[in-house]
């Protein structure tokens, strides 16, 4: 039986959802106009006033916000409430330029934790469950978000944070953890380690995993499910909008339900910035309609996916977003062809490899090169050169048919590619160095 955290909202009719959105959106735009001079200027530049925004249908009139805006006014320029009403900050890892620092009032933390609680219930979680949170705690939103959601559901929460893999496994076994929350790449690593310790799916008490924070393929999902003997659920979110729980998967696992009473999604063409119809693939844009401290309006996520309003078998009515294919900024352009790391991952796993790989891009004699380095599994490891060459050829053919361009394949020995405890770094683009 499907289990909901807030059924009256999660299963509300489209009319009810619309009514909530219209009310919250119009109020939010007024608040932002009055309290955030930076965004007000953007609205003025576009000739829009709060009176122009009467319902969700008017959303497209509002200006966009992007990471560049956040950097420009770092740290306080988008605050929607006085600092005295803020109780928390969280931050992104900020690999390029300034970190994003997001602010939360008590209300904001509460709605964020509700979203995470919905995700945990959708994965079958109840107060009978033991939920191990192996996302990083601290500035990263993964640990604190799922921790809060787990408390709300009433699970016995194990806040291991990431890392110290053998201790993670000890807690899973000793405390009989039933739900694991971490990045999919770390789940894969935990699975690998348990296998090495001689533990099969039947020896592992886990029944569900809530994995997100990075793009991962369907193939990787099946691998993790098989190794750990669980059902693996996807969860999506970003610091700017709270953190994990902006959307989450249900038992149907056909897209992630966006918590539409808090976030309105749109898909735009990243070039023309035009809003695209249902089903079309483009850049995901979110408007947070009741967040107080950090009220993002039409925030461009750079994530690429599509939306569907079709009825879902789980009973939830909120719109679903497809698994993000990747980000506009991790799409590689190789000899003019668009390549996403997730496409490469699909080919590798379909050919029997685990998701231990690295993609090295370079430019040699003015030509882009793509080198896919992938670990052989212990079972396929051999020093028979004929066998290795045959495997390489096979994989090159698979990549060529998926990507439409030639890639070099390097098969490396098991355990030579670094494992990740958080978000995996899959691409090394030497053209940018
Ligand atoms: O990664 C929040 C989070 C924590 C989500 C734990 C899920 C679980 P940031 O560090 O700000 O926040 O990174 C946000 O990560 O724009 C996407 O590009 C990517 N991302 C997050 N979840 C998914 C997912 C957290 N399920 C950025 N699938 C987003 C694909 C994801 N990409």
């Amino acid at each position: 039986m499907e289990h909901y955290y807030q059924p009256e909202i999660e299963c509300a009719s489209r009319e009810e959802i619309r009514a909530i959105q219209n009310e919250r959106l119009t109020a939010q735009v007024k608040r932002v106009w009055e309290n955030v001079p930076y965004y007000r200027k953007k609205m003025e530049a576009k000739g829009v006033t709060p009176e122009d925004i009467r319902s969700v249908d008017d959303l497209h009139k509002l200006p966009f916000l992007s990471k560049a805006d956040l950097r420009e006014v770092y740290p306080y320029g988008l605050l929607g409430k006085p600092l005295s009403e803020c109780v928390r900050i969280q931050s992104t890892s900020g690999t390029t330029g300034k970190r994003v620092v997001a602010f939360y009032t008590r209300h904001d933390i509460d709605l964020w934790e509700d979203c995470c609680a919905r995700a945990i219930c959708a994965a079958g979680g109840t107060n009978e469950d033991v939920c191990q949170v192996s996302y990083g705690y601290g500035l990263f939103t993964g640990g604190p978000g799922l921790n809060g959601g787990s408390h709300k559901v009433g699970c016995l929460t194990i806040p291991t944070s990431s890392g110290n893999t053998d201790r993670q496994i000890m807690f899973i076994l000793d405390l009989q953890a039933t739900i694991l929350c971490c990045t999919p790449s770390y789940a894969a690593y935990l699975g690998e380690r348990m296998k090495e310790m001689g533990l099969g799916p039947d020896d592992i008490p886990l029944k569900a995993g809530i994995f997100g924070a990075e793009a991962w393929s369907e193939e990787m999902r099946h691998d993790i499910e098989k190794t750990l003997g669980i059902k693996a659920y996807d969860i999506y979110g970003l610091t700017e909008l709270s953190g994990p729980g902006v959307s989450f998967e249900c038992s149907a696992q056909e897209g992630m339900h966006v918590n539409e009473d808090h976030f309105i999604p749109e898909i735009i063409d990243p070039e023309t910035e035009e809003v695209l119809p249902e089903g079309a693939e483009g850049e995901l844009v979110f408007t947070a309609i009741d967040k107080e401290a950090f009220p993002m309006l039409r925030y461009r996520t750079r994530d690429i996916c599509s939306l569907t309003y079709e009825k879902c078998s789980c009973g939830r009515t909120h719109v679903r977003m497809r698994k993000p294919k990747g980000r506009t900024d991790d799409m590689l352009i190789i000899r003019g062809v668009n390549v996403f790391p997730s496409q490469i991952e699909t080919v590798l796993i379909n050919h029997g490899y685990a998701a231990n790989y690295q993609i090295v891009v370079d430019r040699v004699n003015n030509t882009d090169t793509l080198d896919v380095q992938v670990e052989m599994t212990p079972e396929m490891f051999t020093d028979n050169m004929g066998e290795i060459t045959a495997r390489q050829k096979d994989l090159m053919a698979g990549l060529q048919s998926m990507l439409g361009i030639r890639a070099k394949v390097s098969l490396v020995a098991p355990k030579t590619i670094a494992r990740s405890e958080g978000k995996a770094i899959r691409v090394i683009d030497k053209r940018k160095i």
Side-chain angles (χ1 to χ4, degrees), residues 175-231:
L175 299 173
Q176 293 286 295
T178 49
I179 301 178
L180 173 68
C181 306
C182 62
T183 59
S185 50
Y186 195 42
Y189 179 31
L190 282 166
E192 179 184 16
R193 189 73 195 112
M194 288 197 243
K195 210 170 176 182
E196 281 171 3
M197 295 163 93
L199 297 166
D202 293 338
D203 310 312
I204 302 170
L206 294 170
K207 64 175 191 195
I210 303 179
F211 305 137
E214 61 187 0
W216 53 309
S217 60
E218 272 311 314
E219 291 72 15
M220 186 161 172
R221 185 210 303 266
H222 296 143
D223 256 21
I224 296 173
E225 288 186 331
K226 211 167 68 199
T227 316
L228 295 177
I230 60 170
K231 191 155 168 164

Side-chain angles (χ1 to χ4, degrees), residues 93-111:
S93 50
T95 36
T96 51
K98 276 270 188 228
R99 284 166 172 270
V100 169
V101 174
F103 297 83
Y104 304 71
T105 61
R106 268 182 228 286
H107 159 92
D108 296 338
I109 301 253
D110 196 41
L111 82 83

